[in-house]
Amino acid sequence: AQKITQTQPGMFVQEKEAVTLDCTYDTSDPSYGLFWYKQPSSGEMIFLIYQGSYDQQNATEGRYSLNFQKARKSANLVISASQLGDSAMYFCAMRAWDKIIFGKGTRLHILP
Amino acid sequence: EPEVTQTPSHQVTQMGQEVILRCVPISNHLYFYWYRQILGQKVEFLVSFYNNEISEKSEIFDDQFSVERPDGSNFTLKIRSTKLEDSAMYFCASSRDRESAETQYFGPGTRLLVL
């Protein structure tokens, strides 16, 4: 069965610092996609970044990068130069054919 | 930029009542989904829909739930007889394809409160 594990329920980070949000996954499928979504207090789910299981390079999107270590089954999100607007809930997710499976999330607080 | 839209943004209903949540997926997408998020919990898959039929559903999606694409643009989730535990945020999502590489784009959600 597929599973996503996020072990950090909450994090506090000083503004402008880099932050790493941990995510490990479990699947027996050879082909899968890994995603990170941001959920601000308003509730919407905002797609941030995607990593394919066959991608050789780590994905990057602006200040977001995904540290993909396939052998360790980890897909950590790195946010460089954090901003106050980054305060939100962050979900790691895995696409398993028709559905996306989400982790429990990490609540990130950026401190001024 | 095209986006998924959902109406209403909030809905309050009495236990036992029927509710219909509406979604307009991105226009060139072919695969549609419903998820729910109970307050403070993770997002859970409910159902996927393609070519006018359900392609996969979770154990949450019991006989009280149904989905429909009544016309070329809308995608609806119906809860026939709401229960208190149906109170949650309901997200609609769509994607162009079902390949693992395809991102599912989420709507802003409908917050359902069952009293």
Short mmCIF file of all heavy atoms in Angstrom, two decimals, chain A residues 82-112:
data_model
loop_
_atom_site.label_atom_id
_atom_site.label_comp_id
_atom_site.label_asym_id
_atom_site.label_seq_id
_atom_site.Cartn_x
_atom_site.Cartn_y
_atom_site.Cartn_z
N SER A 82 13.25 32.05 3.26
CA SER A 82 11.83 32.01 3.61
C SER A 82 11.28 33.43 3.83
O SER A 82 11.99 34.35 4.23
CB SER A 82 11.63 31.16 4.87
OG SER A 82 12.42 31.64 5.93
N GLN A 83 9.98 33.55 3.54
CA GLN A 83 9.27 34.81 3.67
C GLN A 83 8.06 34.62 4.58
O GLN A 83 7.59 33.50 4.78
CB GLN A 83 8.79 35.28 2.28
CG GLN A 83 9.88 35.43 1.26
CD GLN A 83 9.35 35.63 -0.14
OE1 GLN A 83 8.15 35.59 -0.39
NE2 GLN A 83 10.26 35.87 -1.08
N LEU A 84 7.57 35.74 5.13
CA LEU A 84 6.42 35.65 6.03
C LEU A 84 5.23 34.97 5.36
O LEU A 84 4.48 34.22 5.99
CB LEU A 84 6.04 37.04 6.53
CG LEU A 84 7.07 37.75 7.41
CD1 LEU A 84 6.59 39.15 7.77
CD2 LEU A 84 7.38 36.96 8.66
N GLY A 85 5.09 35.19 4.07
CA GLY A 85 3.98 34.60 3.32
C GLY A 85 4.10 33.09 3.13
O GLY A 85 3.17 32.45 2.64
N ASP A 86 5.23 32.53 3.53
CA ASP A 86 5.39 31.08 3.45
C ASP A 86 4.73 30.37 4.62
O ASP A 86 4.63 29.14 4.61
CB ASP A 86 6.88 30.70 3.42
CG ASP A 86 7.59 31.19 2.17
OD1 ASP A 86 6.92 31.32 1.11
OD2 ASP A 86 8.81 31.44 2.24
N SER A 87 4.29 31.10 5.60
CA SER A 87 3.60 30.49 6.74
C SER A 87 2.32 29.83 6.25
O SER A 87 1.45 30.49 5.69
CB SER A 87 3.25 31.54 7.80
OG SER A 87 4.41 32.06 8.39
N ALA A 88 2.24 28.53 6.44
CA ALA A 88 1.11 27.75 5.92
C ALA A 88 1.30 26.30 6.33
O ALA A 88 2.30 25.93 6.95
CB ALA A 88 1.05 27.84 4.40
N MET A 89 0.33 25.48 5.94
CA MET A 89 0.44 24.04 6.07
C MET A 89 1.01 23.51 4.76
O MET A 89 0.60 23.96 3.68
CB MET A 89 -0.95 23.46 6.32
CG MET A 89 -0.95 22.02 6.76
SD MET A 89 -0.42 21.89 8.48
CE MET A 89 -1.19 20.36 8.93
N TYR A 90 1.94 22.57 4.84
CA TYR A 90 2.55 22.00 3.65
C TYR A 90 2.30 20.49 3.63
O TYR A 90 2.58 19.80 4.61
CB TYR A 90 4.05 22.28 3.62
CG TYR A 90 4.36 23.73 3.33
CD1 TYR A 90 4.28 24.69 4.34
CD2 TYR A 90 4.69 24.15 2.05
CE1 TYR A 90 4.52 26.02 4.08
CE2 TYR A 90 4.95 25.49 1.77
CZ TYR A 90 4.85 26.41 2.80
OH TYR A 90 5.10 27.74 2.54
N PHE A 91 1.79 20.03 2.50
CA PHE A 91 1.49 18.61 2.35
C PHE A 91 2.38 17.99 1.29
O PHE A 91 2.48 18.50 0.17
CB PHE A 91 0.03 18.40 1.94
CG PHE A 91 -0.96 18.73 3.01
CD1 PHE A 91 -1.62 19.95 3.02
CD2 PHE A 91 -1.25 17.81 4.02
CE1 PHE A 91 -2.55 20.24 4.01
CE2 PHE A 91 -2.17 18.10 5.00
CZ PHE A 91 -2.82 19.32 5.00
N CYS A 92 3.00 16.89 1.65
CA CYS A 92 3.68 16.04 0.69
C CYS A 92 2.66 15.04 0.17
O CYS A 92 1.78 14.59 0.92
CB CYS A 92 4.84 15.32 1.38
SG CYS A 92 5.79 14.22 0.31
N ALA A 93 2.73 14.71 -1.10
CA ALA A 93 1.72 13.83 -1.68
C ALA A 93 2.34 12.97 -2.76
O ALA A 93 3.36 13.32 -3.36
CB ALA A 93 0.57 14.65 -2.25
N MET A 94 1.71 11.85 -3.03
CA MET A 94 2.18 10.94 -4.06
C MET A 94 1.01 10.56 -4.94
O MET A 94 -0.07 10.22 -4.45
CB MET A 94 2.78 9.68 -3.42
CG MET A 94 3.19 8.60 -4.40
SD MET A 94 4.17 7.32 -3.62
CE MET A 94 3.02 6.72 -2.41
N ARG A 95 1.24 10.62 -6.22
CA ARG A 95 0.21 10.19 -7.16
C ARG A 95 0.37 8.70 -7.40
O ARG A 95 1.43 8.23 -7.77
CB ARG A 95 0.29 10.94 -8.49
CG ARG A 95 -0.76 10.45 -9.45
CD ARG A 95 -1.33 11.51 -10.30
NE ARG A 95 -2.49 11.04 -11.05
CZ ARG A 95 -3.10 11.73 -11.97
NH1 ARG A 95 -2.70 12.95 -12.27
NH2 ARG A 95 -4.15 11.24 -12.59
N ALA A 96 -0.71 7.98 -7.12
CA ALA A 96 -0.75 6.54 -7.34
C ALA A 96 -1.85 6.28 -8.35
O ALA A 96 -3.00 6.07 -7.98
CB ALA A 96 -1.01 5.81 -6.03
N TRP A 97 -1.49 6.34 -9.61
CA TRP A 97 -2.43 6.16 -10.73
C TRP A 97 -3.55 7.20 -10.67
O TRP A 97 -3.33 8.36 -10.98
CB TRP A 97 -2.94 4.73 -10.75
CG TRP A 97 -3.55 4.30 -12.06
CD1 TRP A 97 -4.77 3.72 -12.25
CD2 TRP A 97 -2.97 4.39 -13.36
NE1 TRP A 97 -4.97 3.47 -13.58
CE2 TRP A 97 -3.88 3.88 -14.30
CE3 TRP A 97 -1.75 4.89 -13.85
CZ2 TRP A 97 -3.63 3.80 -15.66
CZ3 TRP A 97 -1.50 4.83 -15.21
CH2 TRP A 97 -2.44 4.30 -16.09
N ASP A 98 -4.72 6.81 -10.20
CA ASP A 98 -5.86 7.72 -10.27
C ASP A 98 -5.96 8.70 -9.10
O ASP A 98 -6.70 9.67 -9.18
CB ASP A 98 -7.16 6.91 -10.31
CG ASP A 98 -7.83 7.00 -11.66
OD1 ASP A 98 -7.36 7.79 -12.50
OD2 ASP A 98 -8.83 6.28 -11.87
N LYS A 99 -5.31 8.45 -8.03
CA LYS A 99 -5.54 9.29 -6.87
C LYS A 99 -4.23 9.84 -6.33
O LYS A 99 -3.15 9.35 -6.64
CB LYS A 99 -6.25 8.48 -5.78
CG LYS A 99 -5.43 7.33 -5.25
CD LYS A 99 -6.27 6.46 -4.34
CE LYS A 99 -5.46 5.26 -3.87
NZ LYS A 99 -6.30 4.23 -3.27
N ILE A 100 -4.37 10.87 -5.53
CA ILE A 100 -3.21 11.42 -4.81
C ILE A 100 -3.37 11.08 -3.35
O ILE A 100 -4.45 11.24 -2.77
CB ILE A 100 -3.11 12.93 -5.03
CG1 ILE A 100 -2.62 13.20 -6.46
CG2 ILE A 100 -2.15 13.55 -4.03
CD1 ILE A 100 -2.41 14.67 -6.76
N ILE A 101 -2.29 10.58 -2.76
CA ILE A 101 -2.29 10.25 -1.34
C ILE A 101 -1.48 11.32 -0.62
O ILE A 101 -0.35 11.62 -1.02
CB ILE A 101 -1.66 8.87 -1.11
CG1 ILE A 101 -2.49 7.81 -1.81
CG2 ILE A 101 -1.56 8.55 0.37
CD1 ILE A 101 -1.74 6.52 -2.00
N PHE A 102 -2.05 11.88 0.43
CA PHE A 102 -1.42 12.97 1.14
C PHE A 102 -0.84 12.52 2.47
O PHE A 102 -1.36 11.60 3.11
CB PHE A 102 -2.44 14.08 1.41
CG PHE A 102 -2.83 14.87 0.19
CD1 PHE A 102 -3.81 14.41 -0.66
CD2 PHE A 102 -2.21 16.07 -0.08
CE1 PHE A 102 -4.17 15.13 -1.79
CE2 PHE A 102 -2.57 16.80 -1.20
CZ PHE A 102 -3.54 16.33 -2.06
N GLY A 103 0.22 13.20 2.87
CA GLY A 103 0.70 13.06 4.23
C GLY A 103 -0.14 13.92 5.17
O GLY A 103 -1.05 14.63 4.74
N LYS A 104 0.19 13.88 6.45
CA LYS A 104 -0.60 14.61 7.44
C LYS A 104 -0.25 16.10 7.48
O LYS A 104 -0.97 16.88 8.10
CB LYS A 104 -0.39 14.01 8.83
CG LYS A 104 -1.02 12.64 8.97
CD LYS A 104 -0.91 12.12 10.39
CE LYS A 104 -1.62 10.77 10.51
NZ LYS A 104 -1.54 10.23 11.88
N GLY A 105 0.84 16.47 6.85
CA GLY A 105 1.19 17.87 6.75
C GLY A 105 2.15 18.35 7.81
O GLY A 105 2.29 17.75 8.88
N THR A 106 2.81 19.46 7.48
CA THR A 106 3.68 20.17 8.42
C THR A 106 3.24 21.63 8.43
O THR A 106 3.14 22.26 7.37
CB THR A 106 5.16 20.10 7.97
OG1 THR A 106 5.60 18.75 8.04
CG2 THR A 106 6.02 20.97 8.88
N ARG A 107 2.97 22.13 9.63
CA ARG A 107 2.59 23.55 9.72
C ARG A 107 3.85 24.37 9.91
O ARG A 107 4.56 24.21 10.90
CB ARG A 107 1.61 23.79 10.87
CG ARG A 107 1.09 25.23 10.89
CD ARG A 107 -0.09 25.41 11.82
NE ARG A 107 -1.28 24.69 11.40
CZ ARG A 107 -2.10 25.08 10.43
NH1 ARG A 107 -1.86 26.19 9.76
NH2 ARG A 107 -3.17 24.36 10.15
N LEU A 108 4.12 25.24 8.97
CA LEU A 108 5.33 26.07 8.98
C LEU A 108 4.97 27.47 9.44
O LEU A 108 4.04 28.09 8.91
CB LEU A 108 5.95 26.11 7.58
CG LEU A 108 7.18 26.98 7.39
CD1 LEU A 108 8.34 26.46 8.24
CD2 LEU A 108 7.58 27.04 5.92
N HIS A 109 5.72 27.95 10.43
CA HIS A 109 5.54 29.32 10.91
C HIS A 109 6.84 30.08 10.63
O HIS A 109 7.91 29.65 11.08
CB HIS A 109 5.28 29.34 12.42
CG HIS A 109 4.10 28.53 12.85
ND1 HIS A 109 2.83 29.05 12.95
CD2 HIS A 109 4.00 27.21 13.20
CE1 HIS A 109 2.00 28.10 13.36
NE2 HIS A 109 2.68 26.98 13.52
N ILE A 110 6.74 31.17 9.90
CA ILE A 110 7.90 32.01 9.62
C ILE A 110 7.86 33.19 10.58
O ILE A 110 6.87 33.93 10.64
CB ILE A 110 7.91 32.50 8.17
CG1 ILE A 110 7.81 31.31 7.20
CG2 ILE A 110 9.17 33.33 7.90
CD1 ILE A 110 8.95 30.32 7.27
N LEU A 111 8.93 33.36 11.32
CA LEU A 111 9.00 34.40 12.35
C LEU A 111 9.71 35.64 11.82
O LEU A 111 10.75 35.52 11.16
CB LEU A 111 9.75 33.86 13.57
CG LEU A 111 9.18 32.58 14.17
CD1 LEU A 111 10.12 32.03 15.23
CD2 LEU A 111 7.81 32.85 14.75
N PRO A 112 9.17 36.83 12.08
CA PRO A 112 9.82 38.05 11.58
C PRO A 112 11.10 38.35 12.35
O PRO A 112 11.32 37.87 13.45
CB PRO A 112 8.77 39.14 11.83
CG PRO A 112 7.90 38.61 12.89
CD PRO A 112 7.91 37.11 12.78
#
